[in-house]
């Protein structure tokens, strides 16, 4: 009845047709009558006092309508960009959250910091005029590196942040023994083996292929503002516009996120540019459009990672982990972005148990301001950083003890009969089969044949290495109450409305947003499966606050686990109401009505009525229990999960290193994931491939680099090394399934897995290849240059 | 200074006035409303803007509109005739070779040129050719698969 496209089918995607024929509708494809164009004047300095802005010349140029500055913004009462998650320091003080105005006032604090916006009749006119805006800067000393920013005498970026410290945080979940710090220190002291590492988690630029864009249209007659914007969560943007920045009533603001060309976290936030075009449109009474150039994306999109971590692992004589101590310095950039303080803390520390039974864990994190673009969630967001350090130090321990990397992991895994497992860092894991995933990954990698492959590589002058990693992550953000206790300033439930039309076709309004995730297909599969209607008779509506009641959007692999569960709850309500209507039509008791394959049936009989006929009766209620039921068939549900979900998996990577050039090539990549139940295997595989590519990018190629003072060195695709088709292998992917108990679909989430698990597997493989040369350590990205120098240093005994 | 350009666009003769600095991609998007051709970067790297000029794939962000005077320009919108998908479009759909869809038009137009030059490319040849088209979603795995599947389908059609 589902047209063969129910849960579990690799249904080709409904959304494809418009994209493969060039008929997608992205923000920059939308044009409104009389629209004008915005171009931002951005600071070329990492740190400077603003001494004056002279827009006289720009205003005299042809086609220029206005030049607006931070002073105008202040005069109009526009609020600063909000921080949506608050963090508390060890001493009980709140994290420093400096006001972040959309256009700078007083000081600029990073290269690219918007200073003014030019509005003109054409994009070219706006751009030309922006170059004619004369800004007087008085340069200040500046710093881009977090460690340097903490040193005495470092330039102070915000008055309120002494030592440039935003927060000094330690992780003490209520379930953890209050003496975790002391216990961890004791275990480290008593360890049979102690392993320590200092690790860099390199800063990345998300680089969704569609640059950000916003088009705002204020109607002065109705007072209605419509914003088309590249967002992963249009309702959140509306909420923040209405409550924090623009301060308009919600019913007067409609935010539309149409087709969006990828996000990876970078399109979650309420950015200066979208606020500025809304404000400019309201002020000038014309639609105003801004489309980023890629260079602006490099300067203005929130960046990811950028940690420096010292980690110590204690082991007993049997190589069992007894304690883990983690000290991290996280570079937050120049301001606290929307979730900027939460990512290196509450999205990071609770995952530091990994899949192992380490009894004592103690974590501290310092969040530091620097003169760089703010950092925030990027694919994985905190979990890749946690996984990287665990899986690197576990591998280092295996190497030092001369153990097989698989064996040391097996010895420490949480076992299937130990669930639910309360980790010492606060997470309650419900499911997983870690040895099963390890075995599966070893099987598809062909683990036993490695020595032979290594010999073949050697014969060609290449060093072959094999690396393994095992990740677990928290998806499905989030249980609102838990998130609230951890500092979230919003709820994190999800919303779905199921609208059954009189003819039985179904529309779903979901608060999640698909910008590549395939919800138009997978959510329709759930409906087809549950209602027994044909897949082609289901439409998924998303990305428009005017059509969808509410929602928190798409990030943290939450859409299916939270949004799909809201959908299931709404479908259950539809079926419940349908059962009552069917009982009336069949002259039976509602309790005797079964629903399956699109038919309501009196149990044990052949008396039945089709779903479509029940829908029709709901809208043409001539024969209908009007005394008990309202007409119509439309239901809405909110779903707030009781816990996160915990996907896990094992990745094995084989690389070949050319010792003459330092070039690393991936020869084999095997991924065995446990995502719980799967709606569409083909879509899930695609998500894994994409995550792996970004993980490989981080491990081998990508690095967002600044000068020590904060000039961005990697500001275009000529300098920032993006993975291309000829850099990557084909992947071997497979799944095992232990469903989660925390949502009705039993699904865990698959969007970030690859980006979390891949980097340590690759670096472990590179080090495995290089150990015979005496190389003990390498940081990401392991570029040819970095590998070559590591080899040279080892050869010369440094 | 405006220049007058006349050319064949997806099989139809068109002409337009454009400033001498107008890029081909802007002419296609803004003057002709062909928004399937995308702009993903400003350094001729990403390939989201690939179209065909006289049958060869070209990054339309790196060509002036004035340069196509007298040429035949084909965009993603013109690739499928009479509602029937081109074998590459069909293969991209069947093999889940797109996620957000932003790079897809350029990717398909680039691959179409490859298959004209090399009807049976190996995996490495596909990867090598598509080096100038970035995708951030798919990891290229399914794109490579789809291009080779389309090559197979076109080979069968031709035989």
């Amino acid at each position: 009845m589902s047209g063969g496209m129910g849960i579990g089918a690799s249904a080709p995607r409904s959304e494809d047709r418009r994209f493969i024929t060039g008929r997608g509708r992205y923000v920059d494809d939308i044009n409104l009558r009389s629209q004008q164009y915005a171009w931002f004047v951005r600071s070329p300095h990492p740190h400077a006092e603003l001494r004056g802005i002279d827009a006289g010349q720009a205003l005299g140029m042809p086609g220029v309508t206005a030049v607006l500055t931070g002073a105008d913004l202040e005069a109009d009462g526009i609020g600063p960009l909000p921080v949506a998650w608050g963090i508390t320091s060890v001493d009980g003080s709140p994290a420093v959250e400096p006001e972040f105005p959309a256009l700078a006032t007083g000081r600029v604090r990073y290269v690219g910091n918007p200073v003014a916006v030019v509005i003109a009749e054409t994009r070219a006119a706006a751009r030309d005029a922006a170059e004619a805006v004369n800004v007087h800067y008085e340069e200040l000393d500046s710093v881009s590196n977090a460690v340097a920013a903490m040193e005495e005498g470092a330039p102070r970026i915000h008055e309120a942040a002494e030592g440039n410290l935003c927060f000094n945080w330690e992780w003490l979940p209520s379930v953890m023994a209050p003496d975790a710090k002391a216990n961890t220190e004791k275990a480290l002291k008593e360890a049979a083996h102690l392993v320590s590492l200092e690790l860099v988690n390199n800063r990345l630029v998300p680089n969704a292929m569609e640059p950000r864009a916003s088009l705002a249209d204020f109607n002065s007659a109705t007072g209605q503002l419509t914003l088309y914007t590249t967002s992963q969560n249009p309702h959140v943007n509306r909420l923040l516009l209405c409550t924090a920045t623009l301060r308009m009533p919600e019913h007067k603001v409609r935010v539309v996120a149409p087709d969006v060309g990828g996000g990876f976290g970078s399109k979650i936030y309420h950015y200066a540019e979208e606020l500025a075009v809304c404000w400019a449109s309201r002020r000038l009474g014309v639609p105003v459009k801004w489309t980023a150039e890629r260079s602006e994306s490099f300067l203005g999109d929130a960046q990811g990672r950028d940690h420096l971590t010292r980690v110590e692992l204690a082991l007993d004589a049997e190589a069992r982990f007894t304690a883990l101590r983690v000290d991290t310095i996280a570079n937050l950039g120049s301001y606290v972005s929307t979730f900027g303080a939460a990512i290196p803390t509450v999205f990071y520390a609770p995952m530091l148990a990994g899949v192992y039974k380490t009894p004592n864990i103690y974590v501290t994190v310092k969040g530091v301001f620097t003169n760089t673009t703010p950092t925030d969630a990027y694919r994985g967001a905190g979990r890749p950083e946690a996984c990287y350090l665990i899986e690197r130090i576990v591998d280092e321990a295996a190497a030092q003890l001369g153990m097989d990397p698989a064996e040391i992991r097996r010895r420490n895994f949480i076992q299937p009969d130990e669930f639910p497992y309360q980790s010492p860092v606060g997470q309650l894991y419900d499911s997983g089969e870690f040895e099963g995933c390890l075995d599966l990954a070893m099987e598809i990698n062909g683990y036993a044949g490695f020595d032979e492959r290594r010999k073949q590589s050697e014969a060609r002058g290449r060093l072959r290495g094999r690396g393994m990693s095992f990740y677990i992550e928290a998806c499905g953000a989030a249980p609102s109450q838990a998130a609230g206790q951890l500092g979230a300033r919003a709820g994190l439930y999800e919303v779905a409305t199921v609208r059954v039309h009189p003819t039985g076709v179904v529309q779903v309004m979901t608060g999640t947003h698909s910008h590549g995730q395939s919800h138009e297909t997978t959510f329709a599969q759930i409906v087809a499966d549950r209602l027994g209607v044909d897949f082609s008779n289901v439409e998924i509506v998303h990305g428009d606050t005017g059509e969808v009641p509410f929602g928190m959007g798409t990030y943290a692999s939450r859409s299916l686990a939270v949004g799909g569960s809201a959908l299931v709850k709404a479908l259950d309500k539809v079926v419940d109401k349908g059962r009552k209507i069917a009982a009336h039509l069949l002259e039976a008791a509602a309790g005797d009505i079964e629903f399956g394959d699109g038919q309501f049936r009196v149990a044990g009989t052949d008396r039945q009525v089709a779903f479509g006929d029940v829908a029709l009766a709901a809208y043409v209620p001539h024969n209908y229990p009007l005394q008990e039921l309202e007409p119509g068939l439309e239901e809405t549900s909110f779903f707030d999960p009781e816990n996160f979900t915990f996907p896990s998996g094992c990745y094995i990577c084989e690389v070949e290193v050319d010792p003459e050039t330092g070039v690393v090539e991936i020869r084999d990549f095997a991924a065995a994931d446990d995502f719980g139940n799967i709606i569409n295997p083909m879509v899930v595989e695609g998500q894994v491939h994409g995550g792996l590519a970004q993980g490989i990018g981080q491990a081998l190629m990508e690095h967002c680099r600044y000068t020590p003072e904060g000039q961005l060195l990697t500001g275009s695709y000529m300098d920032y090394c993006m993975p291309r088709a000829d850099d990557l292998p084909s992947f071997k992917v497979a799944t095992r399934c232990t469903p989660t108990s925390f949502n009705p679909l039993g699904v865990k989430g698959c969007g970030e897995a690859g980006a979390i698990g891949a980097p340590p597997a690759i670096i472990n493989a590179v080090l495995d290849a290089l150990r015979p040369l005496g190389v003990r350590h390498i940081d990401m990205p392991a570029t040819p240059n970095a590998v070559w120098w590591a080899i040279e240093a080892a050869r010369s005994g440094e | 200074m405006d220049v007058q350009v006349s050319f064949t666009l997806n099989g139809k003769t068109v002409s337009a006035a454009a400033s001498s600095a107008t890029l081909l991609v802007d002419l296609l998007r803004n003057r002709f409303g062909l928004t399937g051709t995308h702009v993903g970067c400003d350094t001729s790297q990403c390939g989201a803007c690939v179209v065909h000029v006289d049958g060869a794939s070209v990054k339309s962000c790196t060509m002036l509109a004035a340069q196509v005077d007298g040429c035949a320009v084909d965009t993603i919108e013109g690739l499928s005739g009479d509602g029937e998908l081109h074998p590459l479009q069909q293969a991209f759909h069947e093999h889940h070779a797109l996620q957000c869809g932003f790079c897809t038009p350029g990717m398909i137009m680039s691959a179409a040129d490859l298959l004209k030059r090399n009807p049976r490319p190996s995996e490495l040849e596909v990867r090598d050719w598509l080096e100038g088209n970035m995708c951030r979603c798919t990891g290229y795995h399914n794109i490579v698969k789809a291009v080779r599947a389309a090559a197979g389908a076109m080979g069968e059609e031709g035989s």
Side-chain angles (χ1 to χ4, degrees), chain A residues 13 15-16 18-19 26 259-264 379 513-520 542 554 683 686-687, chain B residues 96 98-102 137-138:
Chain A
R13 301 197 318 164
E15 46 268 78
D16 282 351
R18 64 182 187 270
F19 297 129
Y26 301 89
D259 288 328
V260 172
F264 316 113
R379 201 170 194 168
H513 185 276
S514 182
H515 33 281
Q517 291 85 348
S518 318
H519 301 166
E520 291 172 39
H542 63 99
T554 288
V683 163
Q687 291 293 309
Chain B
H96 186 33
L98 63 148
Q99 291 179 25
C100 81
F102 194 80
C137 294
T138 66

Short mmCIF file of all heavy atoms in Angstrom, two decimals, chain A residues 13 15-16 18-19 26 259-264 379 513-520 542 554 683 686-687, chain B residues 96 98-102 137-138:
data_model
loop_
_atom_site.label_atom_id
_atom_site.label_comp_id
_atom_site.label_asym_id
_atom_site.label_seq_id
_atom_site.Cartn_x
_atom_site.Cartn_y
_atom_site.Cartn_z
N ARG A 13 14.87 9.79 -4.37
CA ARG A 13 14.33 10.95 -3.68
C ARG A 13 13.30 11.74 -4.49
O ARG A 13 13.49 12.02 -5.67
CB ARG A 13 15.47 11.89 -3.30
CG ARG A 13 16.52 11.26 -2.42
CD ARG A 13 17.38 12.28 -1.75
NE ARG A 13 17.75 13.37 -2.66
CZ ARG A 13 18.24 14.52 -2.23
NH1 ARG A 13 18.41 14.73 -0.93
NH2 ARG A 13 18.57 15.46 -3.09
N GLU A 15 12.74 14.84 -3.99
CA GLU A 15 13.21 16.21 -4.22
C GLU A 15 14.17 16.33 -5.40
O GLU A 15 14.47 17.44 -5.84
CB GLU A 15 13.86 16.80 -2.96
CG GLU A 15 14.85 15.93 -2.22
CD GLU A 15 14.21 15.10 -1.10
OE1 GLU A 15 13.59 14.07 -1.45
OE2 GLU A 15 14.34 15.44 0.09
N ASP A 16 14.62 15.20 -5.93
CA ASP A 16 15.69 15.25 -6.94
C ASP A 16 15.31 16.01 -8.21
O ASP A 16 16.13 16.73 -8.77
CB ASP A 16 16.12 13.84 -7.35
CG ASP A 16 17.01 13.20 -6.31
OD1 ASP A 16 17.43 13.90 -5.37
OD2 ASP A 16 17.29 11.99 -6.43
N ARG A 18 13.69 18.57 -9.21
CA ARG A 18 13.91 20.00 -9.43
C ARG A 18 15.40 20.34 -9.44
O ARG A 18 15.84 21.24 -10.16
CB ARG A 18 13.16 20.84 -8.39
CG ARG A 18 13.56 20.68 -6.95
CD ARG A 18 12.65 21.55 -6.06
NE ARG A 18 13.06 21.61 -4.66
CZ ARG A 18 12.64 20.75 -3.73
NH1 ARG A 18 11.83 19.75 -4.03
NH2 ARG A 18 13.04 20.89 -2.47
N PHE A 19 16.17 19.59 -8.69
CA PHE A 19 17.61 19.91 -8.64
C PHE A 19 18.35 19.44 -9.90
O PHE A 19 19.24 20.13 -10.38
CB PHE A 19 18.26 19.28 -7.40
CG PHE A 19 17.71 19.80 -6.09
CD1 PHE A 19 17.27 18.93 -5.11
CD2 PHE A 19 17.64 21.16 -5.85
CE1 PHE A 19 16.76 19.41 -3.91
CE2 PHE A 19 17.13 21.65 -4.66
CZ PHE A 19 16.69 20.77 -3.68
N TYR A 26 16.68 28.45 -4.69
CA TYR A 26 17.53 28.90 -3.59
C TYR A 26 17.29 30.41 -3.39
O TYR A 26 16.72 31.07 -4.26
CB TYR A 26 19.00 28.61 -3.91
CG TYR A 26 19.29 27.14 -4.14
CD1 TYR A 26 19.19 26.58 -5.41
CD2 TYR A 26 19.65 26.31 -3.08
CE1 TYR A 26 19.44 25.23 -5.62
CE2 TYR A 26 19.90 24.95 -3.28
CZ TYR A 26 19.79 24.42 -4.56
OH TYR A 26 20.03 23.09 -4.76
N ASP A 259 14.89 26.22 -0.85
CA ASP A 259 15.98 25.26 -1.04
C ASP A 259 17.26 25.89 -0.49
O ASP A 259 17.55 27.06 -0.77
CB ASP A 259 16.15 24.94 -2.53
CG ASP A 259 15.00 24.07 -3.03
OD1 ASP A 259 14.47 23.26 -2.23
OD2 ASP A 259 14.62 24.19 -4.21
N VAL A 260 17.96 25.13 0.31
CA VAL A 260 19.18 25.63 0.94
C VAL A 260 20.32 24.66 0.58
O VAL A 260 20.19 23.45 0.75
CB VAL A 260 19.02 25.75 2.47
CG1 VAL A 260 20.34 26.08 3.14
CG2 VAL A 260 17.98 26.82 2.80
N GLY A 261 21.39 25.25 0.06
CA GLY A 261 22.48 24.45 -0.48
C GLY A 261 23.51 24.03 0.54
O GLY A 261 24.66 24.45 0.50
N GLY A 262 23.09 23.18 1.47
CA GLY A 262 24.00 22.66 2.49
C GLY A 262 24.11 23.61 3.66
O GLY A 262 23.85 24.82 3.55
N GLY A 263 24.46 23.06 4.82
CA GLY A 263 24.57 23.89 6.02
C GLY A 263 25.74 23.45 6.89
O GLY A 263 26.64 24.22 7.14
N PHE A 264 25.67 22.20 7.36
CA PHE A 264 26.74 21.63 8.20
C PHE A 264 26.94 22.43 9.47
O PHE A 264 28.04 22.45 10.04
CB PHE A 264 28.05 21.50 7.40
CG PHE A 264 27.83 20.96 6.02
CD1 PHE A 264 28.04 21.73 4.89
CD2 PHE A 264 27.35 19.66 5.85
CE1 PHE A 264 27.79 21.23 3.63
CE2 PHE A 264 27.09 19.16 4.59
CZ PHE A 264 27.33 19.95 3.47
N ARG A 379 29.58 20.39 11.62
CA ARG A 379 29.27 18.97 11.53
C ARG A 379 29.94 18.12 12.63
O ARG A 379 31.14 17.87 12.58
CB ARG A 379 29.66 18.43 10.16
CG ARG A 379 28.92 17.13 9.82
CD ARG A 379 29.13 16.73 8.37
NE ARG A 379 28.16 15.69 7.98
CZ ARG A 379 27.93 15.30 6.73
NH1 ARG A 379 28.59 15.87 5.74
NH2 ARG A 379 27.04 14.37 6.46
N HIS A 513 14.30 21.09 8.88
CA HIS A 513 14.55 21.67 7.56
C HIS A 513 15.53 20.79 6.78
O HIS A 513 16.58 20.43 7.30
CB HIS A 513 15.14 23.08 7.70
CG HIS A 513 15.31 23.77 6.39
ND1 HIS A 513 16.42 23.59 5.59
CD2 HIS A 513 14.49 24.60 5.70
CE1 HIS A 513 16.27 24.30 4.48
NE2 HIS A 513 15.12 24.92 4.53
N SER A 514 15.18 20.48 5.56
CA SER A 514 16.06 19.66 4.73
C SER A 514 16.89 20.54 3.81
O SER A 514 16.35 21.28 3.00
CB SER A 514 15.24 18.66 3.91
OG SER A 514 16.10 17.85 3.15
N HIS A 515 18.20 20.48 3.98
CA HIS A 515 19.10 21.17 3.05
C HIS A 515 20.11 20.15 2.54
O HIS A 515 21.31 20.40 2.53
CB HIS A 515 19.75 22.37 3.71
CG HIS A 515 20.01 22.17 5.18
ND1 HIS A 515 19.04 22.28 6.14
CD2 HIS A 515 21.14 21.82 5.83
CE1 HIS A 515 19.56 22.01 7.32
NE2 HIS A 515 20.83 21.73 7.16
N GLY A 516 19.56 19.00 2.15
CA GLY A 516 20.36 17.89 1.64
C GLY A 516 20.05 16.58 2.33
O GLY A 516 20.39 15.51 1.85
N GLN A 517 19.34 16.67 3.47
CA GLN A 517 19.11 15.47 4.29
C GLN A 517 18.04 14.53 3.75
O GLN A 517 17.87 13.44 4.26
CB GLN A 517 18.74 15.88 5.72
CG GLN A 517 19.87 16.52 6.51
CD GLN A 517 20.03 18.01 6.27
OE1 GLN A 517 19.45 18.58 5.35
NE2 GLN A 517 20.84 18.65 7.08
N SER A 518 17.24 14.98 2.80
CA SER A 518 16.26 14.10 2.11
C SER A 518 14.96 13.90 2.87
O SER A 518 14.29 12.89 2.68
CB SER A 518 16.88 12.73 1.77
OG SER A 518 18.19 12.84 1.29
N HIS A 519 14.56 14.85 3.70
CA HIS A 519 13.33 14.67 4.47
C HIS A 519 12.10 14.53 3.59
O HIS A 519 11.14 13.88 3.97
CB HIS A 519 13.09 15.86 5.40
CG HIS A 519 14.19 16.09 6.38
ND1 HIS A 519 14.31 17.25 7.10
CD2 HIS A 519 15.23 15.31 6.76
CE1 HIS A 519 15.38 17.18 7.87
NE2 HIS A 519 15.95 16.02 7.67
N GLU A 520 12.11 15.18 2.42
CA GLU A 520 10.92 15.10 1.57
C GLU A 520 10.65 13.66 1.18
O GLU A 520 9.52 13.29 0.87
CB GLU A 520 11.08 16.00 0.34
CG GLU A 520 11.05 17.49 0.71
CD GLU A 520 11.40 18.41 -0.45
OE1 GLU A 520 11.00 18.14 -1.59
OE2 GLU A 520 12.10 19.42 -0.21
N HIS A 542 8.31 22.15 4.51
CA HIS A 542 9.24 22.60 5.54
C HIS A 542 9.84 23.93 5.14
O HIS A 542 9.75 24.35 3.99
CB HIS A 542 10.37 21.55 5.74
CG HIS A 542 11.22 21.36 4.52
ND1 HIS A 542 12.44 21.95 4.36
CD2 HIS A 542 11.02 20.64 3.39
CE1 HIS A 542 12.96 21.60 3.19
NE2 HIS A 542 12.11 20.82 2.57
N THR A 554 17.05 21.90 11.97
CA THR A 554 17.87 20.73 11.67
C THR A 554 19.34 20.98 11.98
O THR A 554 19.96 21.88 11.41
CB THR A 554 17.68 20.33 10.19
OG1 THR A 554 16.37 19.77 10.07
CG2 THR A 554 18.70 19.30 9.75
N VAL A 683 19.81 6.68 1.43
CA VAL A 683 20.02 8.03 1.97
C VAL A 683 21.04 7.99 3.11
O VAL A 683 21.92 8.86 3.22
CB VAL A 683 18.68 8.64 2.41
CG1 VAL A 683 18.90 9.83 3.33
CG2 VAL A 683 17.85 9.05 1.19
N GLY A 686 24.49 7.75 1.83
CA GLY A 686 24.90 9.06 1.32
C GLY A 686 25.36 9.99 2.44
O GLY A 686 26.34 10.72 2.30
N GLN A 687 24.64 9.95 3.55
CA GLN A 687 25.03 10.78 4.70
C GLN A 687 26.40 10.34 5.24
O GLN A 687 27.22 11.18 5.61
CB GLN A 687 23.97 10.70 5.81
CG GLN A 687 22.65 11.37 5.46
CD GLN A 687 22.79 12.88 5.33
OE1 GLN A 687 23.32 13.54 6.21
NE2 GLN A 687 22.34 13.42 4.21
N HIS B 96 21.42 8.39 -6.03
CA HIS B 96 21.50 9.34 -4.92
C HIS B 96 22.81 10.13 -4.98
O HIS B 96 23.55 10.23 -4.01
CB HIS B 96 21.37 8.61 -3.58
CG HIS B 96 21.28 9.51 -2.38
ND1 HIS B 96 20.68 10.75 -2.41
CD2 HIS B 96 21.73 9.35 -1.11
CE1 HIS B 96 20.77 11.30 -1.21
NE2 HIS B 96 21.40 10.48 -0.41
N LEU B 98 23.10 13.29 -5.36
CA LEU B 98 22.94 14.68 -4.95
C LEU B 98 22.25 14.71 -3.60
O LEU B 98 21.43 13.85 -3.30
CB LEU B 98 22.14 15.48 -5.98
CG LEU B 98 20.68 15.06 -6.22
CD1 LEU B 98 19.83 16.27 -6.57
CD2 LEU B 98 20.61 14.04 -7.35
N GLN B 99 22.60 15.71 -2.81
CA GLN B 99 21.92 15.92 -1.54
C GLN B 99 21.30 17.32 -1.55
O GLN B 99 20.12 17.47 -1.81
CB GLN B 99 22.87 15.67 -0.37
CG GLN B 99 23.23 14.16 -0.27
CD GLN B 99 24.19 13.81 0.84
OE1 GLN B 99 24.28 14.50 1.84
NE2 GLN B 99 24.91 12.71 0.69
N CYS B 100 22.09 18.36 -1.29
CA CYS B 100 21.48 19.70 -1.28
C CYS B 100 21.17 20.19 -2.68
O CYS B 100 20.37 21.10 -2.86
CB CYS B 100 22.37 20.70 -0.54
SG CYS B 100 23.74 21.38 -1.50
N GLY B 101 21.83 19.63 -3.69
CA GLY B 101 21.51 19.96 -5.08
C GLY B 101 22.21 21.18 -5.65
O GLY B 101 22.07 21.46 -6.83
N PHE B 102 22.97 21.88 -4.83
CA PHE B 102 23.53 23.15 -5.30
C PHE B 102 24.63 22.95 -6.35
O PHE B 102 24.70 23.66 -7.33
CB PHE B 102 24.07 23.96 -4.13
CG PHE B 102 24.36 25.40 -4.47
CD1 PHE B 102 23.33 26.33 -4.54
CD2 PHE B 102 25.65 25.83 -4.75
CE1 PHE B 102 23.58 27.66 -4.87
CE2 PHE B 102 25.92 27.15 -5.07
CZ PHE B 102 24.88 28.07 -5.14
N CYS B 137 28.52 17.67 0.02
CA CYS B 137 27.53 16.77 0.65
C CYS B 137 27.83 15.29 0.44
O CYS B 137 27.67 14.50 1.36
CB CYS B 137 26.13 17.02 0.10
SG CYS B 137 25.40 18.62 0.47
N THR B 138 28.18 14.90 -0.77
CA THR B 138 28.11 13.46 -1.12
C THR B 138 29.41 12.70 -0.95
O THR B 138 29.41 11.47 -1.04
CB THR B 138 27.71 13.29 -2.60
OG1 THR B 138 28.78 13.82 -3.42
CG2 THR B 138 26.42 14.00 -2.92
#
